[in-house]
Amino acid sequence: MLSVRDLTVSLGPERAPVDIVAGVSFGLARGEILGLVGESGCGKSMTSLAVMGLLPQPGPRVRAGQVLLDGSDVTQLQPWQRVEAGHGRMAMIFQEPMTSLNPVRRIGDQITEAVQVHERLAGAAALARARELLELVRMPDPGMQLSAYPHQLSGGQRQRVMIAIALACRPQVLIADEPTTALDVTIQVQILGLLRELCNRLDMAILFITHDMGVIAQLADRVAVMYAGRIVETAPVGALFEAPRHPYTSGLMDCMPSRNSGARRLPTIAGQPPKPSRVAAGCVFAPRCASVREACRLATPPRAEVAQGHEVLCAFPLNGGGLP
Ligand SMILES: Nc1ncnc2c1ncn2[C@@H]1O[C@H](COP(=O)(O)OP(=O)(O)OP(=O)(O)O)[C@@H](O)[C@H]1O
Ligand SMILES: [Mg+2]
């Protein structure tokens, strides 16, 4: 349903562009949750904003590539054209719901506003739809909450309101950028459960962005691992956790705390991701890679399919069990 092809987002002048997202491709089907994971600054948010047509202006721009929604390229459309063409069918939720909600307006008013825009309903009909949306996101006592202000709700309830607003346009694709990072762990589990339920019930696709491999393991069907503006590995979630093939993915997994890790210090991946303006020749991960070979520094690795639906951007993918 959504197909992103060679998406490149750049900064700087046309003559000397700096790519902060470099040739990203992925697909998303109905009822599927794709997890996009990677360290801070690797381009996850820029990818999602470019897909939504919401890149901050002035600044980053889509320099190349396509975002195909049901077969037509939305990067070529102005925002109003997207809505007119019926392509307003993507919605997004962010990390901190308080910054997206208006603190001085009631929850009910904020949801009905979205309902009015997308469904051209007004008055009692809009209010009824707002209540229905709050029920859909399993808000406790939805009738009461319509007249509450954002500060009267808990963090988890505010995120439910944001999800309700996002659902007002009946999206085919929901993009969630770290929606649970600001929540405590038990509330996080509830919100992840809600997203899975909505994905199934509404037959919606979800692009879920996080830097947390644990969240990916809980929620995603498929995973795309991003590093320095590139997707370095894509796989079904089970295959990825069983046998990561890119040394970066394997490194990210080693950094995951587990119940058995006790008081032992968790490993980290040495070094820092490269600045987008300082990407050297060869594999982008080579300077930090524990399994680096001479060839890695010379040429960009090819994209290899190591198993059905499992692709890796590495010239010497790890060998299933984790050894090169
Ligand atoms: N408004 C902006 N203008 C210019 N460059 C930006 C802007 N926002 C982010 N960047 C740069 O784009 C690159 C990708 O940033 P992005 O926000 O997409 O990372 P991210 O993977 O979402 O990180 P995080 O996990 O911290 O949210 C970074 O190098 C960042 O410095
Ligand atoms: Mg981000």
Side-chain angles (χ1 to χ4, degrees), residues 184-269:
D184 71 60
V185 187
T186 47
I187 305 295
Q188 168 169 305
V189 172
Q190 291 173 13
I191 298 288
L192 297 182
L194 173 68
L195 289 173
R196 166 54 75 189
E197 182 195 332
L198 292 171
C199 174
N200 295 344
R201 255 175 85 179
L202 307 175
D203 204 20
M204 189 170 67
I206 298 183
L207 177 64
F208 191 96
I209 296 172
T210 179
H211 56 263
D212 187 339
M213 274 288 188
V215 170
I216 291 287
Q218 273 180 55
L219 185 71
D221 299 307
R222 246 172 358 106
V223 192
V225 181
M226 213 168 164
Y227 183 76
R230 290 137 180 95
I231 289 181
V232 296
E233 183 161 12
T234 336
V237 73
L240 192 91
F241 278 85
E242 210 165 283
R245 306 297 292 268
H246 197 287
Y248 178 61
T249 315
S250 169
L252 279 184
M253 284 180 187
D254 290 343
C255 304
M256 272 174 76
S258 79
R259 205 190 285 214
N260 306 327
S261 54
R264 162 175 84 78
R265 264 190 109 86
L266 284 170
T268 52
I269 306 176

Side-chain angles (χ1 to χ4, degrees), residues 14-323:
E14 210 68 56
R15 294 169 277 110
V18 171
D19 296 342
I20 50 179
V21 175
V24 160
S25 300
F26 59 86
L28 200 52
R30 275 183 190 282
E32 180 183 50
I33 301 183
L34 174 69
L36 186 60
V37 66
E39 279 169 298
S40 189
C42 69
K44 304 180 298 292
S45 295
M46 287 296 140
T47 302
S48 61
L49 292 171
V51 168
M52 285 293 293
L54 290 177
L55 284 173
Q57 293 301 328
R61 63 184 187 281
V62 174
R63 186 167 68 80
Q66 295 177 312
V67 176
L68 302 170
L69 189 60
D70 280 337
S72 45
D73 186 6
V74 295
T75 57
Q76 303 305 321
L77 302 177
Q78 298 294 325
W80 59 270
Q81 288 175 313
R82 285 188 174 210
V83 178
E84 294 240 312
H87 288 311
R89 293 285 161 85
M90 291 196 280
M92 192 160 178
I93 53 172
F94 299 92
Q95 178 171 341
E96 179 36 81
M98 202 56 189
T99 55
S100 309
L101 289 168
N102 184 334
V104 297
R105 293 188 63 205
R106 292 177 198 275
I107 298 300
D109 295 340
Q110 301 192 48
I111 305 178
T112 44
E113 184 179 283
V115 168
Q116 281 160 357
V117 170
H118 292 289
E119 307 217 20
R120 302 204 169 93
L121 294 174
L127 202 60
R129 173 72 178 140
R131 193 192 158 118
E132 193 183 296
L133 285 167
L134 281 184
E135 280 164 9
L136 194 61
V137 298
R138 304 214 175 275
M139 177 70 102
D141 211 348
M144 282 276 289
Q145 304 294 21
L146 284 172
S147 52
Y149 288 95
H151 73 269
Q152 293 171 310
L153 305 184
S154 69
Q157 288 173 339
R158 286 199 286 264
Q159 196 55 281
R160 283 176 203 268
V161 172
M162 287 315 300
I163 298 171
I165 292 175
L167 295 179
C169 74
R170 300 184 191 269
Q172 297 167 336
V173 180
L174 178 69
I175 300 182
D177 192 350
E178 310 244 13
T180 60
T181 306
L183 304 175
D184 71 60
V185 187
T186 47
I187 305 295
Q188 168 169 305
V189 172
Q190 291 173 13
I191 298 288
L192 297 182
L194 173 68
L195 289 173
R196 166 54 75 189
E197 182 195 332
L198 292 171
C199 174
N200 295 344
R201 255 175 85 179
L202 307 175
D203 204 20
M204 189 170 67
I206 298 183
L207 177 64
F208 191 96
I209 296 172
T210 179
H211 56 263
D212 187 339
M213 274 288 188
V215 170
I216 291 287
Q218 273 180 55
L219 185 71
D221 299 307
R222 246 172 358 106
V223 192
V225 181
M226 213 168 164
Y227 183 76
R230 290 137 180 95
I231 289 181
V232 296
E233 183 161 12
T234 336
V237 73
L240 192 91
F241 278 85
E242 210 165 283
R245 306 297 292 268
H246 197 287
Y248 178 61
T249 315
S250 169
L252 279 184
M253 284 180 187
D254 290 343
C255 304
M256 272 174 76
S258 79
R259 205 190 285 214
N260 306 327
S261 54
R264 162 175 84 78
R265 264 190 109 86
L266 284 170
T268 52
I269 306 176
Q272 299 284 329
K275 288 213 168 75
S277 53
R278 298 262 167 82
V279 172
C283 171
V284 277
F285 189 59
R288 301 173 74 190
C289 183
S291 330
V292 66
R293 301 183 196 188
E294 197 46 41
C296 305
R297 301 190 198 277
L298 302 176
T300 307
R303 194 167 290 280
E305 186 164 27
V306 290
Q308 170 115 35
H310 192 161
E311 286 189 1
V312 58
L313 190 68
C314 177
F316 305 101
L318 299 174
N319 178 13
L323 288 171

